CSV table of all heavy atoms in Angstrom, one decimal:
chain,number,residue,atom,x,y,z
A,321,THR,N,155.3,118.5,101.2
A,321,THR,CA,156.7,118.5,100.9
A,321,THR,C,157.2,119.9,100.3
A,321,THR,O,158.4,120.1,100.4
A,321,THR,CB,157.1,117.4,99.9
A,321,THR,OG1,156.3,117.5,98.8
A,321,THR,CG2,156.9,116.0,100.5
A,322,GLY,N,156.3,120.7,99.8
A,322,GLY,CA,156.7,121.9,99.2
A,322,GLY,C,157.2,122.9,100.2
A,322,GLY,O,157.1,122.8,101.4
A,323,PRO,N,157.9,124.0,99.7
A,323,PRO,CA,158.5,125.0,100.5
A,323,PRO,C,157.5,125.7,101.4
A,323,PRO,O,157.8,126.0,102.6
A,323,PRO,CB,159.2,126.0,99.5
A,323,PRO,CG,158.5,125.7,98.2
A,323,PRO,CD,158.1,124.3,98.2
A,324,GLU,N,156.3,126.0,100.9
A,324,GLU,CA,155.4,126.8,101.7
A,324,GLU,C,154.2,125.9,102.2
A,324,GLU,O,153.1,126.4,102.5
A,324,GLU,CB,154.8,128.0,100.9
A,324,GLU,CG,155.8,129.1,100.7
A,324,GLU,CD,155.2,130.2,99.8
A,324,GLU,OE1,154.3,130.8,100.2
A,324,GLU,OE2,155.8,130.3,98.7
A,325,ALA,N,154.5,124.7,102.4
A,325,ALA,CA,153.5,123.7,102.7
A,325,ALA,C,152.8,124.1,104.0
A,325,ALA,O,151.6,124.0,104.1
A,325,ALA,CB,154.0,122.3,102.8
A,326,ALA,N,153.6,124.5,105.0
A,326,ALA,CA,153.0,124.8,106.3
A,326,ALA,C,151.9,125.9,106.2
A,326,ALA,O,150.9,125.8,106.8
A,326,ALA,CB,154.1,125.2,107.3
A,327,SER,N,152.2,127.0,105.5
A,327,SER,CA,151.2,128.0,105.4
A,327,SER,C,150.0,127.6,104.6
A,327,SER,O,148.9,128.0,104.9
A,327,SER,CB,151.9,129.3,104.8
A,327,SER,OG,151.7,129.3,103.4
A,328,HIS,N,150.2,126.8,103.6
A,328,HIS,CA,149.1,126.2,102.8
A,328,HIS,C,148.2,125.4,103.7
A,328,HIS,O,147.0,125.6,103.7
A,328,HIS,CB,149.6,125.4,101.7
A,328,HIS,CG,150.4,126.1,100.7
A,328,HIS,ND1,151.3,125.5,99.9
A,328,HIS,CD2,150.4,127.4,100.3
A,328,HIS,CE1,151.8,126.4,99.1
A,328,HIS,NE2,151.3,127.6,99.3
A,329,ARG,N,148.8,124.6,104.5
A,329,ARG,CA,148.1,123.7,105.5
A,329,ARG,C,147.3,124.6,106.4
A,329,ARG,O,146.1,124.4,106.7
A,329,ARG,CB,149.0,122.8,106.2
A,329,ARG,CG,149.3,121.5,105.5
A,329,ARG,CD,149.8,120.5,106.5
A,329,ARG,NE,150.9,120.9,107.4
A,329,ARG,CZ,152.2,120.7,107.1
A,329,ARG,NH1,152.5,120.1,106.0
A,329,ARG,NH2,153.1,121.2,108.0
A,330,ALA,N,147.9,125.7,106.9
A,330,ALA,CA,147.3,126.5,107.9
A,330,ALA,C,146.0,127.1,107.3
A,330,ALA,O,144.9,127.1,107.9
A,330,ALA,CB,148.2,127.6,108.4
A,331,THR,N,146.1,127.7,106.1
A,331,THR,CA,145.0,128.3,105.4
A,331,THR,C,143.8,127.3,105.3
A,331,THR,O,142.7,127.5,105.6
A,331,THR,CB,145.4,128.8,104.0
A,331,THR,OG1,146.6,129.5,104.2
A,331,THR,CG2,144.3,129.7,103.4
A,332,LEU,N,144.2,126.1,104.8
A,332,LEU,CA,143.2,125.1,104.5
A,332,LEU,C,142.5,124.6,105.8
A,332,LEU,O,141.3,124.6,105.8
A,332,LEU,CB,143.9,123.9,103.8
A,332,LEU,CG,143.0,122.8,103.4
A,332,LEU,CD1,142.0,123.2,102.4
A,332,LEU,CD2,143.8,121.6,102.8
A,333,LEU,N,143.3,124.4,106.8
A,333,LEU,CA,142.7,123.8,108.0
A,333,LEU,C,141.9,124.9,108.7
A,333,LEU,O,140.9,124.5,109.4
A,333,LEU,CB,143.8,123.3,108.9
A,333,LEU,CG,144.5,122.0,108.4
A,333,LEU,CD1,145.6,121.5,109.3
A,333,LEU,CD2,143.4,120.9,108.2
A,334,ALA,N,142.3,126.1,108.6
A,334,ALA,CA,141.5,127.2,109.3
A,334,ALA,C,140.1,127.2,108.7
A,334,ALA,O,139.0,127.2,109.4
A,334,ALA,CB,142.1,128.5,109.1
A,335,ALA,N,140.0,127.1,107.3
A,335,ALA,CA,138.7,127.1,106.6
A,335,ALA,C,138.0,125.9,107.0
A,335,ALA,O,136.7,125.9,107.2
A,335,ALA,CB,138.9,127.3,105.1
A,336,TYR,N,138.7,124.8,107.0
A,336,TYR,CA,138.1,123.5,107.3
A,336,TYR,C,137.4,123.5,108.7
A,336,TYR,O,136.3,123.0,108.8
A,336,TYR,CB,139.2,122.4,107.2
A,336,TYR,CG,138.8,121.0,107.4
A,336,TYR,CD1,137.9,120.4,106.6
A,336,TYR,CD2,139.3,120.3,108.5
A,336,TYR,CE1,137.6,119.0,106.8
A,336,TYR,CE2,139.0,119.0,108.8
A,336,TYR,CZ,138.1,118.4,107.9
A,336,TYR,OH,137.8,117.1,108.1
A,337,ALA,N,138.2,124.0,109.7
A,337,ALA,CA,137.7,124.1,111.0
A,337,ALA,C,136.4,124.9,111.1
A,337,ALA,O,135.4,124.5,111.7
A,337,ALA,CB,138.7,124.6,112.0
A,338,GLU,N,136.4,126.0,110.4
A,338,GLU,CA,135.2,126.9,110.4
A,338,GLU,C,134.0,126.1,109.8
A,338,GLU,O,132.9,126.2,110.3
A,338,GLU,CB,135.6,128.1,109.5
A,338,GLU,CG,135.0,129.4,110.0
A,338,GLU,CD,135.5,130.5,109.2
A,338,GLU,OE1,136.2,130.4,108.2
A,338,GLU,OE2,135.2,131.7,109.6
Side-chain angles (χ1 to χ4, degrees):
Chain A
T321 55
E324 287 174 66
S327 91
H328 296 155
R329 274 203 307 270
T331 313
L332 182 62
L333 289 180
Y336 180 66
E338 217 171 10

